[in-house]
Amino acid sequence: DLATFSEAIEQYDKILDKYRKSGLADTALFRIAECYYNVWDYPSALQYFKRVHKENPQSYLVGESILGSAQCYVPGGDFGSAQLELERLVSTYPSYKDNPQVQFTMGIIRFQEGKYEEAVNELEGIQTAEAIFYSGQALVKLGKSVAATGKFKKVFEEFKDSQFAEPAAYLIGDAFMLSKNYDGAILEFKRFLSTRPQSTLKEAVMYKIAASHFLRKDYPGARESFNLLLNSFPSGEFSSLARYFIAESYRFAGQLKE
């Protein structure tokens, strides 16, 4: 947690103050950078990663610190600087070219730039929940919903305890919707609700179920689902849309609400 990392930073700082010329200085700088990165203070992490290779150019940690610098640029959207750091890393240390962290970082950069084919290529083969999840999202952007579903299912089934499992389960239903398989979408979203009844995504899932009924022209089913949504979230994010589509469902069905 934050307090633990703050204490670690304080202790590493003491090493820097007392043993700056020792062989521990580069390691202490690197560990401080890691601590800041783990509490999402990316500007401070970047500062310390850069100090590693600036103050200790012969350190065995220079390559890792350049990679760390690249990763610090990504959350702030400075993809150009991140890519420059990765290029410098690979040109200086060619063995990093096939490093999974380098490929993952480049994949995220390509995804954020909207270069989805390149993102999929970079992320392919990296067997982490985050890499597979973003690969699935890139496939969705490319209109490859079936392939995306396979990625999301892999995250959901093989990385159940990761932070990506729940959004992956949600996006399985979304991928079915995008491919116009509305029956499949309804099934997946209902499965989501049955396994995660307290999820923060519950309102969105209920809306997607109702919308799927509407899109498959099951207007009575749509009305029933939209009304369930309104009963659960009367003033929610989707309440106005739900009321609108209830009215639309009557219009499309040629019915008048009594």
Side-chain angles (χ1 to χ4, degrees):
D1 58 17
L2 180 59
T4 303
F5 283 116
S6 295
E7 180 62 29
I9 289 169
E10 184 178 338
Q11 295 301 319
Y12 287 127
D13 265 329
K14 289 178 181 178
I15 294 174
L16 288 176
D17 289 338
K18 293 184 178 180
Y19 309 104
R20 187 168 297 276
K21 293 184 180 180
S22 75
L24 292 173
D26 57 344
T27 303
L29 285 169
F30 187 81
R31 296 305 182 204
I32 291 172
E34 285 188 317
C35 288
Y36 278 122
Y37 189 92
N38 283 320
V39 296
W40 309 294
D41 184 350
Y42 302 115
S44 296
L46 178 62
Q47 175 188 346
Y48 278 90
F49 278 131
K50 285 186 174 294
R51 283 184 62 184
V52 173
H53 47 87
K54 181 178 180 181
E55 298 176 18
N56 305 271
Q58 304 305 315
S59 171
Y60 74 101
L61 289 167
V62 169
E64 288 298 304
S65 68
I66 296 174
L67 174 57
S69 296
Q71 292 172 326
C72 286
Y73 283 119
V74 173
D78 189 352
F79 305 123
S81 294
Q83 183 167 337
L84 286 174
E85 291 285 3
L86 291 178
E87 290 172 352
R88 180 160 74 99
L89 174 63
V90 172
S91 65
T92 306
Y93 303 95
S95 62
Y96 273 91
K97 182 178 180 182
D98 298 321
N99 182 290
Q101 288 190 61
V102 171
Q103 293 174 327
F104 172 75
T105 304
M106 187 59 75
I108 297 301
I109 291 170
R110 295 294 179 244
F111 179 84
Q112 297 294 346
E113 290 176 335
K115 299 176 180 177
Y116 302 119
E117 286 281 7
E118 293 179 37
V120 171
N121 290 337
E122 292 287 354
L123 296 169
E124 193 65 34
I126 303 176
Q127 298 303 308
T128 66
E130 190 172 9
I132 298 166
F133 179 80
Y134 275 101
S135 180
Q137 285 198 307
L139 288 165
V140 168
K141 297 290 187 180
L142 292 167
K144 299 179 179 179
S145 299
V146 175
T149 300
K151 296 290 185 182
F152 295 137
K153 282 189 173 181
K154 186 176 179 69
V155 174
F156 173 68
E157 292 171 358
E158 298 183 17
F159 301 91
K160 291 182 182 295
D161 296 327
S162 81
Q163 62 179 312
F164 299 98
E166 182 167 289
Y170 173 81
L171 289 172
I172 291 170
D174 240 16
F176 274 106
M177 279 191 78
L178 288 170
S179 63
K180 299 183 179 181
N181 182 346
Y182 303 121
D183 288 339
I186 291 167
L187 180 65
E188 292 297 336
F189 284 130
K190 285 186 174 180
R191 181 178 290 126
F192 181 100
L193 289 179
S194 68
T195 57
R196 293 173 168 79
Q198 304 304 318
S199 171
T200 57
L201 294 170
K202 182 177 181 178
E203 183 185 0
V205 170
M206 292 181 74
Y207 175 78
K208 292 293 181 72
I209 290 171
S212 295
H213 279 294
F214 185 90
L215 290 167
R216 68 192 289 269
K217 300 181 180 181
D218 174 11
Y219 300 122
R223 284 194 293 276
E224 180 182 358
S225 296
F226 281 127
N227 278 314
L228 283 173
L229 171 63
L230 289 171
N231 288 336
S232 298
F233 301 94
S235 301
E237 180 182 353
F238 297 95
S239 58
S240 59
L241 280 172
R243 291 184 173 89
Y244 174 80
F245 281 111
I246 287 172
E248 285 286 275
S249 72
Y250 279 105
R251 183 173 72 85
F252 279 111
Q255 299 176 17
L256 292 175
K257 188 173 183 180
E258 296 181 0

